[in-house]
């Protein structure tokens, strides 16, 4: 090739001089480039230069004749459980001796096999350019050394950027060991409250699976102050002494971030429990605990409980309280009348020894202690009189009282009085009055004045002469506090009382206060729709009438109470028709009462559909084609009958040639011109609308459609001819009405 090239350059001179020689000097490339520099000259027999020297540069073109080679036959790597997906934990590398500026040496990495592969997706992934191996999303979640601690990946590398089937391919094994995650939440941290150590105090440490991360704490709940911190080695500190009584648990998270501020690991949940120490004294629940005890209470009786609390941790020795009586004032008739249970605070009598005449009140000082602190609580014990006296009525018979049957409920009809010799303002002397006999329906009630023990007999239910004209009442007086053994109520605690009820002329009474009925709106006149009934308590004859029959739709038989239709009903005028039915006495018409009649009219399809449009449709002249105007139908009947309308045009040739109608939905349709050759005027388009009642009703309407010159606001434009005089009042009004109609 070189000879041919030189021959071509030197022409015949090289050929004629048969004795001449060629001398080539080759300089090997010093910079590793793919070109060779050659110097060529022609010599004669004596070695003198005939031609030349000439510099020849030879470019060596690369072909893909070298497969890629891994720099290791086998690779090993370690990955931590729960490592971040996509974060490389190792790299593989291969080289290719072909020209790196050509696709021959452009390498692409991929995973060929994955042993074992227990899931549908691979647990590892490789960057096809850099050879970086990292966990996949599934691998980050499922890698667990307890289940599988070793994986073998068969990794391939292809030249030609992996874009052709003729690329060379090499492979290598990658042995990956899965190790347990370093990123673990510590066990529950326990910190003793009110610590005297120098703060901050190291309480735990966490370790990320990845180096050079930034540790931070994240509060789960917003606190006035957050007493924890973390350094960049993952050491967690408590920054100040804690108080269990202020807050006994803390929950927060440890997070790790990279230099860009992105989360590296899943947040770790940290739980801190503040352990109690005995730093709170007992507290009396009440400043003074007051206990009442009857003077006849027996020895050993529980008379009350002293309550105290301790803010230290519940159910621990720190909050265990013990009670002891320190003093009793007065110390009569003995100094140890009372005993308190050491661990419960329950007070008991030591013997049957209380006497109100000797001492009516006692003051106790009770020592309450925990393991460290003590507190004095005050107890006041009031000795109360025993209920050994019964109430005694001032009269054994209050004779009788006469009342009218229409007396209002709550009226006092009698005052009664009994007295009790026990201690005033106690349950032993307070009197409760009750009707013991003669009032099975609780028509009467007796209320007691708490200061005077006076009783007030009141009407509790409406009286009725016709039902009960006379009440023979037996009233007893008792105390809320039980009587002591050996004492019983007797006739002194009973009194008699007779109530006479006088008759009052009362109005008739309806059996119902509201009568309801349903009728179809198309029932014939004189149809019976309802029957009402009332009676007079005194037995007088009742007569019936109607009030509020504004539409004159009904009539009532004054004797029987039968209500008939008096004229045609119309639901569209009023669906719920309400009138008052009046019952009055025949002999005294002023004595009357009312009941309400509510008549629900059931709809029938008696109204044809009609157009429901605020203004007639219009089209702008000249028409360009494709115009549509929306029309709407409505019906006065119930939804049952007008839920669907059908629209059609009257079958006139002129109508069919010029217009067409198409349904939009149940209540709307489009009217469209079928061509653009319309004059500028008003057209009458006959439209037929049908409802879906049973039977259906139909209405034919002449729809006025205006084809007019339109303004820029897309509304009909009207030119008003200007003249040199003002229009008259009637002309101005006419113009205004015309313009408004068009609008």
């Amino acid at each position: 090739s070189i000879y041919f090239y030189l021959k071509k350059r030197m022409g015949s001179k090289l050929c004629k001089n048969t004795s001449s020689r060629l001398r080539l000097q080759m300089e090997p490339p010093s910079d590793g480039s793919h070109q060779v520099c050659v110097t060529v000259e022609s010599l004669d027999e004596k070695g003198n230069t005939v031609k030349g020297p000439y510099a020849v540069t030879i470019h060596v073109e690369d072909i893909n004749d070298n497969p890629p080679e891994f720099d290791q036959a086998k690779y090993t790597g370690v990955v931590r459980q729960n490592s971040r997906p996509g974060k490389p934990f190792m790299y593989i590398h291969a080289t290719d001796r072909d020209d790196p500026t050509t696709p021959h040496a452009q390498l692409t990495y991929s995973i060929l096999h994955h042993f074992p592969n227990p899931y549908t997706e691979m647990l590892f992934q490789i960057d096809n350019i850099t050879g970086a191996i990292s966990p996949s999303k599934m691998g980050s979640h499922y890698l667990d050394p307890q289940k599988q601690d070793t994986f073998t990946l068969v990794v391939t590398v292809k030249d030609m950027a992996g874009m052709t089937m003729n690329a060379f391919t090499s492979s290598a094994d990658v042995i990956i060991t899965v190790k347990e995650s370093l990123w673990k939440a510590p066990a529950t941290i326990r910190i003793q409250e009110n610590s005297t150590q120098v703060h901050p105090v190291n309480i735990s440490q966490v370790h990320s699976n990845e180096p050079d991360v930034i540790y931070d704490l994240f509060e789960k709940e917003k606190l006035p102050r957050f007493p924890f911190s973390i350094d960049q080695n993952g050491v967690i500190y408590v920054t100040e002494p804690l108080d269990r009584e202020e807050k006994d648990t803390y929950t927060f998270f440890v997070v790790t971030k990279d230099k860009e501020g992105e989360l590296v690991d899943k947040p770790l949940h940290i739980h801190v429990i503040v352990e109690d120490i005995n730093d709170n004294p007992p507290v009396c629940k009440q400043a003074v605990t007051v206990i009442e005890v009857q003077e006849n209470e027996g020895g050993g009786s529980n008379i009350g409980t002293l309550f105290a609390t301790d803010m230290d941790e519940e159910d621990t020795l720190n909050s265990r309280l013990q009670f002891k009586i320190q003093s009793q004032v007065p110390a009569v008739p003995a100094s140890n009348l009372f005993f308190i249970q050491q661990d419960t605070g329950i007070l008991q009598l030591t013997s049957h020894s209380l006497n109100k005449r000797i001492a009516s009140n006692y003051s106790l000082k009770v020592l309450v202690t925990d393991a460290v602190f003590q507190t004095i609580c005050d107890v006041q014990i009031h000795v109360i009189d025993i209920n050994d006296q019964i109430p005694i009525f001032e009269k054994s018979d209050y004779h009788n009282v006469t009342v009218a049957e229409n007396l209002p409920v709550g009226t006092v009809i009698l005052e009664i009085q009994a007295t009790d010799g026990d201690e005033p303002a106690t349950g032993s002397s307070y009197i409760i009055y009750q009707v013991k006999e003669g009032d099975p329906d609780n028509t009467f009630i007796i209320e007691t004045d708490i200061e005077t023990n006076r009783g007030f007999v009141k009407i509790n239910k409406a009286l009725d002469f016709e039902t009960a004209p006379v009440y023979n009442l037996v009233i007893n007086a008792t105390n809320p506090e039980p009587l002591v053994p050996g004492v019983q109520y007797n006739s002194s605690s009973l009194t008699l009382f007779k109530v006479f009820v006088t008759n009052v002329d009362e109005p008739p009474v309806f059996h119902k206060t509201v009568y309801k009925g349903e009728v179809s709106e198309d029932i014939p006149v004189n149809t019976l729709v309802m029957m009402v009934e009332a009676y007079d308590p005194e037995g007088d004859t009742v007569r019936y009438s109607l009030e509020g029959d504004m539409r004159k739709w009904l009539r009532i038989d004054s004797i029987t109470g039968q209500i008939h239709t008096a004229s045609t009903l119309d639901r569209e005028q009023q669906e719920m028709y309400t009138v008052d039915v009046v019952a009055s006495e025949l002999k005294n018409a002023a004595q009357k009462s009312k009941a309400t009649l509510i008549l629900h009219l059931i709809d029938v399809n008696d109204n044809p559909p009609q157009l429901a449009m605020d203004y007639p449709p219009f089209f702008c002249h000249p028409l360009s084609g494709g115009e549509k105007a929306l029309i709407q139908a409505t019906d006065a009947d119930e939804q049952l009958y007008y839920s669907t309308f059908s629209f059609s045009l009257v079958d006139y040739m002129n109508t069919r040639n010029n217009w067409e109608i198409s349904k939009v939905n149940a209540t709307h349709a489009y009217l469209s011109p079928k061509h653009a050759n319309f004059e500028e005027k008003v057209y009458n388009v006959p439209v037929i609308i049908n409802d879906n009642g049973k039977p259906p009703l139909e209405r034919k309407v002449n729809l006025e459609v205006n084809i007019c010159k339109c303004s820029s606001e897309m509304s009909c434009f009207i030119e008003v001819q200007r003249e040199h005089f003002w229009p008259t009042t009637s002309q101005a009004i006419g113009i205004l009405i015309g313009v408004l109609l068009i609008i």
Side-chain angles (χ1 to χ4, degrees), residues 547-592:
E547 289 184 1
D549 184 13
M550 306 300 295
R551 299 189 182 278
K552 307 300 181 184
W553 282 353
L554 304 172
R555 65 176 177 82
I556 189 169
D557 188 307
S558 63
I559 298 174
T560 65
Q562 291 181 336
I563 301 173
H564 296 77
T565 56
S567 59
T568 303
L569 306 179
D570 187 359
R571 186 205 67 86
E572 284 68 47
Q573 292 187 42
Q574 190 168 347
E575 183 176 357
M576 304 296 291
Y577 193 55
T578 303
V579 297
D580 289 330
V581 183
V582 181
S584 57
E585 295 180 2
L586 180 62
K587 296 179 181 178
N588 184 6
Q591 286 290 70
K592 60 183 180 180

Side-chain angles (χ1 to χ4, degrees), residues 600-615:
H600 179 206
L601 303 187
I602 301 172
D603 189 45
V604 297
N605 192 24
D606 56 350
N607 290 277
Q610 60 186 15
L611 286 178
M613 301 170 65
D614 295 331
Y615 52 86

Side-chain angles (χ1 to χ4, degrees), residues 418-481:
T419 58
D420 192 299
D422 291 311
E423 183 181 1
T426 66
S428 299
S429 62
Y430 179 73
I431 297 176
I432 299 173
Y433 298 99
Q434 291 176 310
V435 179
K436 186 177 181 181
E437 297 177 13
D439 184 19
D441 297 326
N442 297 320
T443 305
F444 303 97
I445 190 172
I446 306 174
E447 295 179 356
T448 304
D449 185 320
I450 59 174
E451 294 183 358
T452 64
N453 267 342
R454 193 163 187 79
F456 300 89
V457 183
K458 295 182 178 182
I459 297 174
N460 187 45
K461 295 180 181 178
L463 301 174
D464 186 0
F465 171 81
E466 288 74 22
T467 303
V470 180
Y471 292 90
N472 291 299
L473 306 181
V474 178
I475 299 173
N476 68 349
T478 59
N479 303 127
E481 190 69 32

Side-chain angles (χ1 to χ4, degrees), residues 260-279:
E260 286 72 35
E262 296 294 328
L263 286 177
V264 174
D265 299 293
K266 297 177 182 178
L268 287 185
H269 189 273
I270 308 297
H271 186 59
V272 176
I273 293 178
V274 184
E275 293 184 333
D276 186 49
I277 64 171
N278 194 355
D279 58 344

